[in-house]
Amino acid sequence: MDPACGGGAFLIAAAHLLASAYAGLLYGTQHPAPLITQAVKADVMRTCLYGIDTDPVAVDLTKSACWLEAGGVPPINWLDNNIITGDALAGDLPPALAARLATPNPLAIVGNPPYKDKAKGAAPWIEARRPRRNQDWTAEELRRPSLDEFRHPGRGRFEYALNNLYVYFWRWALWRAFETRLHTGVVASLSPAAWLDSSAFDGMRSALRRTTDQGLVIELTPEGMRPPVPTRLFPGVAQPLCTAVFSRSNGPDPTRPARVMCATVSGTREEKYQQFDDLLRPGSP
């Protein structure tokens, strides 16, 4: 599931990986033939890929890209219930995914959510404060996330930094993958790196460790603000970025904070991609 799917780059990559894994299971090999992977890709995409975006043009681009990835064989409307126009931060959800959330199937939320600071008011459903401690929660409170879980006592003067779209998407993803389900979940996001060490995000980091089992954080811009263009993963993005993957296998264990591993990639864009691949290769330390 990509909650801000844009043109579908993350979903297309996921489709290839999932189809290859499925073909390997079917034929008992870790290296299935490309033709076999392509043959199962349409079924894998229909049953495993979900996306949402507020831009209807982006949604059409994503569905078209998926159709082409499947070889142009399925009907053009085959993913209409999987990839929809809507706002994940307001509680919208693709109908095909809503039907699967109660099952024990793993849920992976991936993406590169939009970055926009001073975004207060952009996600009222998430920004709304929780009731005071002596007040009972309504049914609506029980079924929505709140930015309150990212707040930390004594950090009130820094809380303005939480009003960024990527923070809202992180909050939504934790809620959807881990707080509404007891089954395997993964959240993987490429976002600004400010949340890694700023005091404003003490509550966010605490929530990540409280709700998951393990995490991997990779700093992508150790050069700092406005790094040399050849070192940027995205030439037009001047702020430091990171990618993070957090997962949980079963229900939460509040007594055991998640174990988090950290790494840094450096050098040119191409060198960073290679280091990134090395870090994620099975069997790497």
Side-chain angles (χ1 to χ4, degrees):
M1 163 67 169
D2 187 340
C5 62
F10 280 75
L11 293 181
I12 295 299
H16 180 74
L17 291 171
L18 290 169
S20 179
Y22 181 52
L25 288 173
L26 288 177
Y27 289 89
T29 175
Q30 293 185 353
H31 304 286
L35 285 177
I36 300 298
T37 297
Q38 187 62 35
V40 302
K41 189 171 289 184
D43 283 340
V44 168
M45 294 171 83
R46 181 179 56 82
T47 56
C48 296
L49 291 193
Y50 309 93
I52 187 170
D53 202 286
T54 57
D55 183 354
V57 175
V59 170
D60 286 343
L61 286 173
T62 297
K63 290 193 288 188
S64 298
C66 288
W67 182 74
L68 290 172
E69 185 69 19
V73 175
I76 193 67
N77 63 346
W78 66 309
L79 291 179
D80 282 359
N81 286 330
N82 293 52
I83 302 170
I84 67 167
T85 301
D87 186 358
L89 299 183
D92 295 336
L93 204 64
L97 177 59
R100 293 190 64 182
L101 283 178
T103 72
N105 295 304
L107 173 63
I109 297 174
V110 301
N112 175 211
Y115 327 140
K116 181 183 178 183
D117 61 1
K118 301 180 178 64
K120 190 172 184 178
W125 193 57
I126 291 175
E127 295 176 68
R129 301 300 298 262
R130 295 291 194 197
R132 295 182 181 275
R133 184 169 298 181
N134 59 349
Q135 294 178 320
D136 293 333
W137 285 22
T138 65
E140 170 65 16
E141 287 296 329
L142 294 173
R143 70 174 191 88
R144 75 169 180 91
S146 173
L147 203 62
D148 278 5
E149 281 74 55
F150 276 12
R151 304 182 194 278
H152 192 279
R155 301 292 188 271
R157 67 182 186 277
F158 302 120
E159 286 183 359
Y160 67 89
L162 298 176
N163 295 315
N164 194 306
L165 281 180
Y166 85 86
V167 178
Y168 298 162
F169 275 98
W170 262 114
R171 181 64 192 98
W172 173 87
L174 291 189
W175 169 79
R176 175 54 69 194
F178 305 122
E179 296 171 30
T180 64
R181 306 175 76 252
L182 297 178
H183 311 298
T184 299
V186 178
V187 175
S189 183
L190 173 62
S191 69
W195 66 270
L196 296 182
D197 53 17
S198 169
S199 297
F201 300 97
D202 285 350
M204 176 177 169
R205 292 192 297 272
S206 176
L208 281 164
R209 297 196 69 196
R210 186 172 61 248
T211 55
T212 65
D213 292 336
Q214 61 182 353
L216 169 64
V217 176
I218 304 176
E219 292 191 67
L220 304 174
T221 322
E223 300 84 5
M225 286 293 292
R226 301 192 180 281
V229 173
T231 70
R232 302 179 187 178
L233 294 189
F234 305 113
V237 178
Q239 59 182 306
L241 301 177
C242 73
T243 189
V245 183
F246 282 85
S247 63
R248 192 181 73 202
S249 298
N250 297 297
D253 182 355
T255 65
R256 188 180 67 178
R259 175 175 178 259
V260 181
M261 297 170 286
C262 300
T264 301
V265 295
S266 58
T268 65
R269 182 181 307 113
E270 292 73 20
E271 290 170 339
K272 288 180 177 181
Y273 281 135
Q274 183 58 57
Q275 293 168 43
F276 194 85
D277 287 344
D278 292 342
L279 284 168
L280 297 183
R281 183 177 296 118
S284 62

PDB file of all heavy atoms in Angstrom, residues 164-187:
ATOM      1  N   ASN A 164       4.072  18.839   9.543  1.00  0.00           N
ATOM      2  CA  ASN A 164       4.649  18.594   8.224  1.00  0.00           C
ATOM      3  C   ASN A 164       3.933  17.382   7.634  1.00  0.00           C
ATOM      4  O   ASN A 164       3.644  16.417   8.343  1.00  0.00           O
ATOM      5  CB  ASN A 164       6.150  18.315   8.343  1.00  0.00           C
ATOM      6  CG  ASN A 164       6.862  18.394   7.005  1.00  0.00           C
ATOM      7  OD1 ASN A 164       6.476  17.732   6.046  1.00  0.00           O
ATOM      8  ND2 ASN A 164       7.915  19.194   6.945  1.00  0.00           N
ATOM      9  N   LEU A 165       3.644  17.426   6.350  1.00  0.00           N
ATOM     10  CA  LEU A 165       2.875  16.342   5.739  1.00  0.00           C
ATOM     11  C   LEU A 165       3.524  14.979   5.930  1.00  0.00           C
ATOM     12  O   LEU A 165       2.844  13.985   6.168  1.00  0.00           O
ATOM     13  CB  LEU A 165       2.677  16.618   4.242  1.00  0.00           C
ATOM     14  CG  LEU A 165       1.585  17.622   3.873  1.00  0.00           C
ATOM     15  CD1 LEU A 165       1.518  17.790   2.357  1.00  0.00           C
ATOM     16  CD2 LEU A 165       0.222  17.174   4.408  1.00  0.00           C
ATOM     17  N   TYR A 166       4.861  14.913   5.834  1.00  0.00           N
ATOM     18  CA  TYR A 166       5.478  13.590   5.970  1.00  0.00           C
ATOM     19  C   TYR A 166       5.288  13.033   7.377  1.00  0.00           C
ATOM     20  O   TYR A 166       5.187  11.808   7.565  1.00  0.00           O
ATOM     21  CB  TYR A 166       6.954  13.632   5.567  1.00  0.00           C
ATOM     22  CG  TYR A 166       7.930  14.057   6.627  1.00  0.00           C
ATOM     23  CD1 TYR A 166       8.466  13.134   7.528  1.00  0.00           C
ATOM     24  CD2 TYR A 166       8.343  15.395   6.743  1.00  0.00           C
ATOM     25  CE1 TYR A 166       9.381  13.522   8.499  1.00  0.00           C
ATOM     26  CE2 TYR A 166       9.255  15.778   7.705  1.00  0.00           C
ATOM     27  CZ  TYR A 166       9.774  14.851   8.583  1.00  0.00           C
ATOM     28  OH  TYR A 166      10.672  15.241   9.549  1.00  0.00           O
ATOM     29  N   VAL A 167       5.231  13.908   8.390  1.00  0.00           N
ATOM     30  CA  VAL A 167       4.976  13.462   9.762  1.00  0.00           C
ATOM     31  C   VAL A 167       3.554  12.911   9.876  1.00  0.00           C
ATOM     32  O   VAL A 167       3.315  11.879  10.517  1.00  0.00           O
ATOM     33  CB  VAL A 167       5.195  14.611  10.759  1.00  0.00           C
ATOM     34  CG1 VAL A 167       4.878  14.155  12.187  1.00  0.00           C
ATOM     35  CG2 VAL A 167       6.627  15.127  10.675  1.00  0.00           C
ATOM     36  N   TYR A 168       2.606  13.590   9.235  1.00  0.00           N
ATOM     37  CA  TYR A 168       1.225  13.098   9.252  1.00  0.00           C
ATOM     38  C   TYR A 168       1.142  11.709   8.618  1.00  0.00           C
ATOM     39  O   TYR A 168       0.417  10.841   9.112  1.00  0.00           O
ATOM     40  CB  TYR A 168       0.305  14.054   8.489  1.00  0.00           C
ATOM     41  CG  TYR A 168       0.212  15.450   9.055  1.00  0.00           C
ATOM     42  CD1 TYR A 168      -0.266  16.500   8.281  1.00  0.00           C
ATOM     43  CD2 TYR A 168       0.601  15.741  10.359  1.00  0.00           C
ATOM     44  CE1 TYR A 168      -0.372  17.782   8.779  1.00  0.00           C
ATOM     45  CE2 TYR A 168       0.513  17.018  10.876  1.00  0.00           C
ATOM     46  CZ  TYR A 168       0.028  18.043  10.080  1.00  0.00           C
ATOM     47  OH  TYR A 168      -0.065  19.325  10.579  1.00  0.00           O
ATOM     48  N   PHE A 169       1.883  11.510   7.525  1.00  0.00           N
ATOM     49  CA  PHE A 169       1.856  10.204   6.875  1.00  0.00           C
ATOM     50  C   PHE A 169       2.513   9.124   7.755  1.00  0.00           C
ATOM     51  O   PHE A 169       2.047   7.980   7.787  1.00  0.00           O
ATOM     52  CB  PHE A 169       2.527  10.249   5.504  1.00  0.00           C
ATOM     53  CG  PHE A 169       1.607  10.708   4.406  1.00  0.00           C
ATOM     54  CD1 PHE A 169       1.617  12.018   3.961  1.00  0.00           C
ATOM     55  CD2 PHE A 169       0.712   9.817   3.825  1.00  0.00           C
ATOM     56  CE1 PHE A 169       0.751  12.438   2.956  1.00  0.00           C
ATOM     57  CE2 PHE A 169      -0.153  10.222   2.821  1.00  0.00           C
ATOM     58  CZ  PHE A 169      -0.136  11.540   2.378  1.00  0.00           C
ATOM     59  N   TRP A 170       3.582   9.477   8.464  1.00  0.00           N
ATOM     60  CA  TRP A 170       4.184   8.532   9.403  1.00  0.00           C
ATOM     61  C   TRP A 170       3.168   8.144  10.488  1.00  0.00           C
ATOM     62  O   TRP A 170       3.030   6.967  10.836  1.00  0.00           O
ATOM     63  CB  TRP A 170       5.415   9.142  10.058  1.00  0.00           C
ATOM     64  CG  TRP A 170       6.734   8.761   9.458  1.00  0.00           C
ATOM     65  CD1 TRP A 170       7.606   9.581   8.804  1.00  0.00           C
ATOM     66  CD2 TRP A 170       7.359   7.470   9.469  1.00  0.00           C
ATOM     67  NE1 TRP A 170       8.730   8.881   8.400  1.00  0.00           N
ATOM     68  CE2 TRP A 170       8.603   7.597   8.798  1.00  0.00           C
ATOM     69  CE3 TRP A 170       6.999   6.230   9.978  1.00  0.00           C
ATOM     70  CZ2 TRP A 170       9.470   6.517   8.625  1.00  0.00           C
ATOM     71  CZ3 TRP A 170       7.858   5.147   9.808  1.00  0.00           C
ATOM     72  CH2 TRP A 170       9.074   5.304   9.139  1.00  0.00           C
ATOM     73  N   ARG A 171       2.466   9.149  11.006  1.00  0.00           N
ATOM     74  CA  ARG A 171       1.495   8.862  12.066  1.00  0.00           C
ATOM     75  C   ARG A 171       0.380   7.954  11.546  1.00  0.00           C
ATOM     76  O   ARG A 171      -0.018   6.992  12.219  1.00  0.00           O
ATOM     77  CB  ARG A 171       0.899  10.172  12.613  1.00  0.00           C
ATOM     78  CG  ARG A 171      -0.112   9.937  13.740  1.00  0.00           C
ATOM     79  CD  ARG A 171       0.547   9.323  14.943  1.00  0.00           C
ATOM     80  NE  ARG A 171      -0.411   8.813  15.933  1.00  0.00           N
ATOM     81  CZ  ARG A 171      -0.767   7.540  16.027  1.00  0.00           C
ATOM     82  NH1 ARG A 171      -0.265   6.629  15.197  1.00  0.00           N
ATOM     83  NH2 ARG A 171      -1.613   7.159  16.958  1.00  0.00           N
ATOM     84  N   TRP A 172      -0.117   8.242  10.343  1.00  0.00           N
ATOM     85  CA  TRP A 172      -1.165   7.418   9.752  1.00  0.00           C
ATOM     86  C   TRP A 172      -0.661   5.987   9.545  1.00  0.00           C
ATOM     87  O   TRP A 172      -1.377   5.024   9.827  1.00  0.00           O
ATOM     88  CB  TRP A 172      -1.605   8.019   8.419  1.00  0.00           C
ATOM     89  CG  TRP A 172      -2.560   7.136   7.683  1.00  0.00           C
ATOM     90  CD1 TRP A 172      -3.907   7.098   7.808  1.00  0.00           C
ATOM     91  CD2 TRP A 172      -2.220   6.123   6.723  1.00  0.00           C
ATOM     92  NE1 TRP A 172      -4.442   6.113   6.993  1.00  0.00           N
ATOM     93  CE2 TRP A 172      -3.420   5.507   6.320  1.00  0.00           C
ATOM     94  CE3 TRP A 172      -1.019   5.681   6.177  1.00  0.00           C
ATOM     95  CZ2 TRP A 172      -3.444   4.476   5.381  1.00  0.00           C
ATOM     96  CZ3 TRP A 172      -1.043   4.649   5.253  1.00  0.00           C
ATOM     97  CH2 TRP A 172      -2.248   4.060   4.860  1.00  0.00           C
ATOM     98  N   ALA A 173       0.563   5.838   9.035  1.00  0.00           N
ATOM     99  CA  ALA A 173       1.090   4.515   8.713  1.00  0.00           C
ATOM    100  C   ALA A 173       1.240   3.644   9.958  1.00  0.00           C
ATOM    101  O   ALA A 173       0.920   2.448   9.939  1.00  0.00           O
ATOM    102  CB  ALA A 173       2.425   4.655   7.985  1.00  0.00           C
ATOM    103  N   LEU A 174       1.751   4.216  11.054  1.00  0.00           N
ATOM    104  CA  LEU A 174       1.881   3.442  12.298  1.00  0.00           C
ATOM    105  C   LEU A 174       0.516   2.968  12.777  1.00  0.00           C
ATOM    106  O   LEU A 174       0.357   1.821  13.221  1.00  0.00           O
ATOM    107  CB  LEU A 174       2.548   4.288  13.390  1.00  0.00           C
ATOM    108  CG  LEU A 174       4.021   4.640  13.226  1.00  0.00           C
ATOM    109  CD1 LEU A 174       4.530   5.279  14.514  1.00  0.00           C
ATOM    110  CD2 LEU A 174       4.854   3.419  12.878  1.00  0.00           C
ATOM    111  N   TRP A 175      -0.451   3.859  12.689  1.00  0.00           N
ATOM    112  CA  TRP A 175      -1.809   3.504  13.121  1.00  0.00           C
ATOM    113  C   TRP A 175      -2.380   2.382  12.260  1.00  0.00           C
ATOM    114  O   TRP A 175      -2.886   1.388  12.774  1.00  0.00           O
ATOM    115  CB  TRP A 175      -2.687   4.751  13.057  1.00  0.00           C
ATOM    116  CG  TRP A 175      -4.146   4.513  13.226  1.00  0.00           C
ATOM    117  CD1 TRP A 175      -4.814   4.294  14.397  1.00  0.00           C
ATOM    118  CD2 TRP A 175      -5.137   4.474  12.185  1.00  0.00           C
ATOM    119  NE1 TRP A 175      -6.152   4.120  14.155  1.00  0.00           N
ATOM    120  CE2 TRP A 175      -6.375   4.236  12.802  1.00  0.00           C
ATOM    121  CE3 TRP A 175      -5.089   4.643  10.807  1.00  0.00           C
ATOM    122  CZ2 TRP A 175      -7.563   4.137  12.086  1.00  0.00           C
ATOM    123  CZ3 TRP A 175      -6.266   4.551  10.077  1.00  0.00           C
ATOM    124  CH2 TRP A 175      -7.490   4.303  10.711  1.00  0.00           C
ATOM    125  N   ARG A 176      -2.266   2.530  10.948  1.00  0.00           N
ATOM    126  CA  ARG A 176      -2.875   1.561  10.049  1.00  0.00           C
ATOM    127  C   ARG A 176      -2.171   0.206  10.104  1.00  0.00           C
ATOM    128  O   ARG A 176      -2.819  -0.847  10.093  1.00  0.00           O
ATOM    129  CB  ARG A 176      -2.863   2.111   8.623  1.00  0.00           C
ATOM    130  CG  ARG A 176      -3.354   1.159   7.549  1.00  0.00           C
ATOM    131  CD  ARG A 176      -4.722   0.601   7.853  1.00  0.00           C
ATOM    132  NE  ARG A 176      -5.778   1.598   7.759  1.00  0.00           N
ATOM    133  CZ  ARG A 176      -7.008   1.424   8.237  1.00  0.00           C
ATOM    134  NH1 ARG A 176      -7.312   0.304   8.865  1.00  0.00           N
ATOM    135  NH2 ARG A 176      -7.919   2.364   8.108  1.00  0.00           N
ATOM    136  N   ALA A 177      -0.851   0.198  10.170  1.00  0.00           N
ATOM    137  CA  ALA A 177      -0.104  -1.068  10.118  1.00  0.00           C
ATOM    138  C   ALA A 177      -0.018  -1.772  11.467  1.00  0.00           C
ATOM    139  O   ALA A 177      -0.022  -3.012  11.517  1.00  0.00           O
ATOM    140  CB  ALA A 177       1.308  -0.813   9.592  1.00  0.00           C
ATOM    141  N   PHE A 178       0.045  -0.999  12.577  1.00  0.00           N
ATOM    142  CA  PHE A 178       0.355  -1.617  13.866  1.00  0.00           C
ATOM    143  C   PHE A 178      -0.711  -1.420  14.942  1.00  0.00           C
ATOM    144  O   PHE A 178      -0.851  -2.264  15.820  1.00  0.00           O
ATOM    145  CB  PHE A 178       1.679  -1.066  14.398  1.00  0.00           C
ATOM    146  CG  PHE A 178       2.824  -1.219  13.445  1.00  0.00           C
ATOM    147  CD1 PHE A 178       3.539  -0.115  13.015  1.00  0.00           C
ATOM    148  CD2 PHE A 178       3.193  -2.464  12.965  1.00  0.00           C
ATOM    149  CE1 PHE A 178       4.603  -0.234  12.130  1.00  0.00           C
ATOM    150  CE2 PHE A 178       4.249  -2.610  12.078  1.00  0.00           C
ATOM    151  CZ  PHE A 178       4.963  -1.489  11.662  1.00  0.00           C
ATOM    152  N   GLU A 179      -1.434  -0.327  14.890  1.00  0.00           N
ATOM    153  CA  GLU A 179      -2.369  -0.037  15.974  1.00  0.00           C
ATOM    154  C   GLU A 179      -3.767  -0.565  15.722  1.00  0.00           C
ATOM    155  O   GLU A 179      -4.555  -0.699  16.662  1.00  0.00           O
ATOM    156  CB  GLU A 179      -2.410   1.468  16.237  1.00  0.00           C
ATOM    157  CG  GLU A 179      -1.085   2.029  16.726  1.00  0.00           C
ATOM    158  CD  GLU A 179      -1.068   3.546  16.780  1.00  0.00           C
ATOM    159  OE1 GLU A 179      -2.130   4.144  17.005  1.00  0.00           O
ATOM    160  OE2 GLU A 179       0.013   4.139  16.590  1.00  0.00           O
ATOM    161  N   THR A 180      -4.119  -0.862  14.486  1.00  0.00           N
ATOM    162  CA  THR A 180      -5.433  -1.409  14.179  1.00  0.00           C
ATOM    163  C   THR A 180      -5.361  -2.894  13.843  1.00  0.00           C
ATOM    164  O   THR A 180      -6.379  -3.506  13.554  1.00  0.00           O
ATOM    165  CB  THR A 180      -6.074  -0.670  12.987  1.00  0.00           C
ATOM    166  OG1 THR A 180      -5.282  -0.893  11.808  1.00  0.00           O
ATOM    167  CG2 THR A 180      -6.152   0.820  13.256  1.00  0.00           C
ATOM    168  N   ARG A 181      -4.162  -3.479  13.888  1.00  0.00           N
ATOM    169  CA  ARG A 181      -3.971  -4.880  13.510  1.00  0.00           C
ATOM    170  C   ARG A 181      -2.987  -5.559  14.467  1.00  0.00           C
ATOM    171  O   ARG A 181      -2.107  -4.894  15.012  1.00  0.00           O
ATOM    172  CB  ARG A 181      -3.423  -4.985  12.074  1.00  0.00           C
ATOM    173  CG  ARG A 181      -4.246  -4.252  11.042  1.00  0.00           C
ATOM    174  CD  ARG A 181      -3.581  -4.303   9.673  1.00  0.00           C
ATOM    175  NE  ARG A 181      -3.743  -5.615   9.038  1.00  0.00           N
ATOM    176  CZ  ARG A 181      -2.775  -6.494   8.876  1.00  0.00           C
ATOM    177  NH1 ARG A 181      -1.543  -6.223   9.300  1.00  0.00           N
ATOM    178  NH2 ARG A 181      -2.990  -7.658   8.295  1.00  0.00           N
ATOM    179  N   LEU A 182      -3.153  -6.864  14.640  1.00  0.00           N
ATOM    180  CA  LEU A 182      -2.235  -7.647  15.467  1.00  0.00           C
ATOM    181  C   LEU A 182      -1.361  -8.559  14.617  1.00  0.00           C
ATOM    182  O   LEU A 182      -0.652  -9.414  15.144  1.00  0.00           O
ATOM    183  CB  LEU A 182      -3.021  -8.479  16.491  1.00  0.00           C
ATOM    184  CG  LEU A 182      -3.826  -7.690  17.516  1.00  0.00           C
ATOM    185  CD1 LEU A 182      -4.589  -8.641  18.435  1.00  0.00           C
ATOM    186  CD2 LEU A 182      -2.922  -6.770  18.323  1.00  0.00           C
ATOM    187  N   HIS A 183      -1.415  -8.397  13.298  1.00  0.00           N
ATOM    188  CA  HIS A 183      -0.687  -9.262  12.392  1.00  0.00           C
ATOM    189  C   HIS A 183       0.577  -8.567  11.884  1.00  0.00           C
ATOM    190  O   HIS A 183       0.838  -7.410  12.207  1.00  0.00           O
ATOM    191  CB  HIS A 183      -1.592  -9.670  11.236  1.00  0.00           C
ATOM    192  CG  HIS A 183      -2.933 -10.163  11.671  1.00  0.00           C
ATOM    193  ND1 HIS A 183      -3.096 -11.281  12.461  1.00  0.00           N
ATOM    194  CD2 HIS A 183      -4.187  -9.663  11.463  1.00  0.00           C
ATOM    195  CE1 HIS A 183      -4.380 -11.471  12.704  1.00  0.00           C
ATOM    196  NE2 HIS A 183      -5.065 -10.509  12.117  1.00  0.00           N
ATOM    197  N   THR A 184       1.348  -9.282  11.081  1.00  0.00           N
ATOM    198  CA  THR A 184       2.615  -8.763  10.588  1.00  0.00           C
ATOM    199  C   THR A 184       2.405  -7.464   9.804  1.00  0.00           C
ATOM    200  O   THR A 184       1.537  -7.380   8.927  1.00  0.00           O
ATOM    201  CB  THR A 184       3.300  -9.798   9.684  1.00  0.00           C
ATOM    202  OG1 THR A 184       3.562 -10.965  10.457  1.00  0.00           O
ATOM    203  CG2 THR A 184       4.602  -9.247   9.126  1.00  0.00           C
ATOM    204  N   GLY A 185       3.213  -6.473  10.127  1.00  0.00           N
ATOM    205  CA  GLY A 185       3.137  -5.194   9.436  1.00  0.00           C
ATOM    206  C   GLY A 185       4.515  -4.601   9.227  1.00  0.00           C
ATOM    207  O   GLY A 185       5.450  -4.864   9.988  1.00  0.00           O
ATOM    208  N   VAL A 186       4.632  -3.806   8.167  1.00  0.00           N
ATOM    209  CA  VAL A 186       5.882  -3.128   7.831  1.00  0.00           C
ATOM    210  C   VAL A 186       5.544  -1.724   7.364  1.00  0.00           C
ATOM    211  O   VAL A 186       4.588  -1.526   6.618  1.00  0.00           O
ATOM    212  CB  VAL A 186       6.646  -3.865   6.704  1.00  0.00           C
ATOM    213  CG1 VAL A 186       7.912  -3.104   6.337  1.00  0.00           C
ATOM    214  CG2 VAL A 186       6.969  -5.285   7.102  1.00  0.00           C
ATOM    215  N   VAL A 187       6.329  -0.759   7.812  1.00  0.00           N
ATOM    216  CA  VAL A 187       6.233   0.609   7.298  1.00  0.00           C
ATOM    217  C   VAL A 187       7.617   1.005   6.810  1.00  0.00           C
ATOM    218  O   VAL A 187       8.590   0.938   7.564  1.00  0.00           O
ATOM    219  CB  VAL A 187       5.742   1.599   8.371  1.00  0.00           C
ATOM    220  CG1 VAL A 187       5.787   3.032   7.830  1.00  0.00           C
ATOM    221  CG2 VAL A 187       4.333   1.249   8.817  1.00  0.00           C
TER     222      VAL A 187
END
